[in-house]
């Protein structure tokens, strides 16, 4: 099984780039919570060992790599709120979060490797979309890790404010526990009203929690 490497970054540098950011997002599928993104610029001489697609890593390994990435790399975070998701749709909100992540880097990069086939319009730098990029580029895999940790922690915090939905375990994804809690407890301000399961419940006149 192949693992992500630094070859795509090397190719961009060979073509003239001096600072290459890997960009990824997490949270397109949940029924609740923001979508979050990260942009990571790695130094080729300080790449943490074991970088991979965040979904292929256990939580302890993700947490360890998260701390290592923050220590050795330039990291920018971005997010799009539930209100923005409902207003412009989840795809556009994901692209907006990625754009914000790149703009929040300490030093502006001059090239971006973006996970997936869509590239945010407002990056203002050359970029290429890499399908399944988190399994190909260490910069994108690093971005996938820090975005996931950041979002999981946000959902754990929201779970304390709105107990019963299991967000500390399901991160807002439509698990059986979460779906049953929605029918039992109602819909919170952090649920995505444009998503069909939530929209249908609202249409049926269920109560909204405050």
């Amino acid at each position: 099984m192949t693992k992500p490497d630094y070859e795509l970054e090397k190719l961009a540098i060979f073509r003239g780039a001096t600072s290459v950011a890997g960009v990824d997002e997490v949270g397109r599928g949940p029924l609740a919570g923001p979508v979050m993104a990260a942009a990571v610029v790695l130094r080729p001489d300080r790449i943490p060992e074991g970088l991979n697609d965040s979904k292929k890593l256990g939580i302890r390994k993700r947490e360890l790599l998260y701390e290592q990435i923050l220590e050795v790399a330039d990291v920018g975070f971005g997010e799009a709120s539930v209100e923005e998701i409902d207003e412009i749709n989840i795809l556009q909100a994901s692209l907006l979060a990625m754009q914000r992540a790149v703009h929040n880097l300490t030093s502006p990069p001059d090239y971006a490797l973006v996970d997936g086939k869509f590239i945010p319009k407002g990056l203002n730098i050359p970029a290429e979309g890499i399908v399944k990029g988190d399994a190909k580029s260490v910069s994108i895999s690093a971005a996938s890790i820090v975005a996931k940790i950041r979002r999981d922690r946000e959902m754990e915090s929201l779970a304390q404010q709105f107990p019963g939905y299991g967000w500390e375990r399901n991160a807002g994804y439509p698990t059986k526990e979460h779906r049953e809690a929605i029918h039992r407890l109602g819909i919170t301000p952090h649920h995505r009203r444009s998503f069909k399961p939530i929209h249908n419940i609202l249409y049926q006149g269920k109560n909204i929690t405050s």
Side-chain angles (χ1 to χ4, degrees):
M1 183 177 64
T2 59
K3 291 187 177 181
D5 55 36
Y6 199 70
E7 292 305 308
L8 289 168
E9 290 85 348
K10 283 182 180 177
L11 183 58
I13 292 167
F14 176 76
R15 292 171 176 166
T18 58
S19 176
V20 181
V23 190
D24 201 1
E25 54 75 28
V26 65
R28 283 178 62 170
L31 300 179
V35 59
M36 288 195 174
V40 175
V41 178
L42 291 170
R43 285 174 46 180
D45 59 338
R46 298 194 71 186
I47 298 174
E49 288 287 331
L51 289 174
N52 208 336
D53 174 1
S54 64
K55 297 184 289 296
K56 297 178 182 177
L57 300 171
I59 186 166
R60 287 186 180 180
K61 184 64 173 176
R62 278 200 303 266
E63 292 275 0
L64 177 63
L65 284 168
Y66 174 81
E67 297 300 335
Q68 291 177 347
I69 293 163
L70 293 185
E71 190 175 316
V72 303
D74 186 4
V75 179
F77 289 101
E79 70 174 79
S81 67
V82 168
E83 291 78 13
E84 288 172 321
I85 292 169
D86 288 340
E87 182 178 348
I88 62 177
N89 78 45
I90 185 59
L91 173 59
Q92 295 304 317
S94 298
L95 295 172
L96 179 60
M98 289 194 282
Q99 174 187 314
R100 288 169 174 167
V102 172
H103 291 169
N104 283 332
L105 286 162
T106 304
S107 300
D110 51 23
Y111 200 84
L113 299 170
V114 181
D115 186 57
K117 59 183 179 179
F118 299 105
I119 297 172
K121 293 180 180 178
L123 289 184
N124 301 322
I125 57 172
E128 63 180 303
I130 310 293
V131 175
K132 296 185 178 178
D134 45 12
K136 299 174 183 176
S137 156
V138 284
S139 299
I140 296 177
S141 63
S144 79
I145 290 165
V146 294
K148 177 163 178 54
I149 293 292
R150 188 73 169 247
R151 189 178 187 280
D152 284 352
R153 290 180 178 177
E154 171 69 11
M155 294 309 294
E156 288 168 6
S157 176
L158 291 177
Q160 296 179 19
Q161 301 172 43
F162 294 89
Y165 297 88
W167 291 343
E168 68 277 16
R169 291 181 294 276
N170 60 50
Y173 282 87
T175 61
K176 182 180 179 183
E177 173 190 34
H178 188 187
R179 288 184 282 110
E180 288 179 348
I182 291 170
H183 285 282
R184 186 175 69 254
L185 301 173
I187 293 179
T188 75
H190 299 288
H191 280 102
R192 301 173 179 180
R193 285 153 171 72
S194 58
F195 277 40
K196 191 172 181 180
I198 305 300
H199 176 80
N200 288 346
I201 291 171
L202 286 171
Y203 186 75
Q204 293 164 6
K206 298 286 183 180
N207 290 330
I208 302 174
T209 65
S210 58

